[in-house]
Amino acid sequence: MARTNRGIIQEFVEFISRGNVMDLAVGVIIGGAFTSVVNALVSTIIQPLIAAIGGSPDVKGLAVALNGQTIDFGAFISAVISFLITAVAVFAIVKAVNTMNDLKEMAIKKAGLASMIEKEQAPAPRTCPYCKQEIADDATRCPHCTSKLAGYENALEAR
C-alpha cells in the first residue's frame, strides 16, 4: 500500500513539474489579471461614456413577480449588454496586439533577419532512398535495410 501511494505521489510530482501544467498555471494567472484590466476598462471608461451619451447603461424596471419570486429581465439584459461591451473591448485589444505582431514580423522580414534565422535552422534529415528511414549524413549503408548508399566503398568487394 505504501509503495502504491509513493508511486502515485511520484507521478503527481512529475505531472506538476511538466511544462504544460506550469504554462497553464501562468495562463490562468495572467488571464485573471487581464480580466480585472478589461473589467476596469468597461466599468470605468466605456459604460460611463455610454451613460453620458444615452442615459443609464442599466436596464431597470423590467421585472415580473411570479408566485412570490421576482424574475428580473432587466438585470439579465444588463448582463448581456455588459458582456457584449466586454467582448468588444477584448476583441479590440486582441486585434491591436495581432496588428502589432504583424508589423513586427514585417519589420523583421524587411531587415533580413528572417532569412538569417532560416539559414540557422537545421537541414532536413537524410533518408534512405529504399526504406525511407532516417540515416546519418555520413552513412554509406542504411542501418535499417543495409542498402548501399552513395559513397559506399569496400575494398574487399572490389577484388
Side-chain angles (χ1 to χ4, degrees):
M1 184 76 159
R3 185 176 180 137
T4 304
N5 288 342
R6 185 172 184 88
I8 291 173
I9 292 171
Q10 187 176 11
E11 285 182 48
F12 179 73
V13 169
E14 289 173 7
F15 171 75
I16 292 297
S17 299
R18 287 186 189 152
N20 300 2
V21 174
M22 294 301 172
D23 292 343
L24 180 62
V26 169
V28 168
I29 292 168
I30 295 293
F34 186 70
T35 299
S36 66
V37 170
V38 171
N39 287 340
L41 172 70
V42 169
S43 65
T44 62
I45 296 174
I46 295 175
Q47 283 184 339
L49 286 173
I50 291 173
I53 294 170
S56 175
D58 291 329
V59 180
K60 296 181 181 177
L62 295 175
V64 175
L66 185 65
N67 289 336
Q69 300 294 322
T70 303
I71 301 173
D72 193 357
F73 293 107
F76 176 73
I77 293 171
S78 293
V80 169
I81 291 170
S82 178
F83 168 77
L84 292 174
I85 293 169
T86 303
V88 167
V90 169
F91 175 76
I93 292 169
V94 169
K95 185 80 171 159
V97 169
N98 287 342
T99 302
M100 187 174 64
N101 286 339
D102 291 344
L103 292 174
K104 179 180 155 188
E105 288 294 322
M106 287 188 336
I108 287 173
K109 286 181 182 176
K110 275 192 172 182
L113 297 176
S115 62
M116 289 175 26
I117 291 171
E118 289 173 3
K119 288 179 185 176
E120 291 176 4
Q121 291 178 349
R126 183 176 170 207
T127 57
C128 173
Y130 303 103
C131 68
K132 306 298 183 201
Q133 295 291 322
E134 187 174 327
I135 56 175
D137 288 335
D138 58 347
T140 57
R141 286 191 83 127
C142 177
H144 306 286
C145 68
T146 68
S147 298
K148 296 175 186 175
L149 304 172
Y152 176 79
E153 292 179 21
N154 187 342
L156 296 175
E157 288 182 0
R159 292 184 191 181

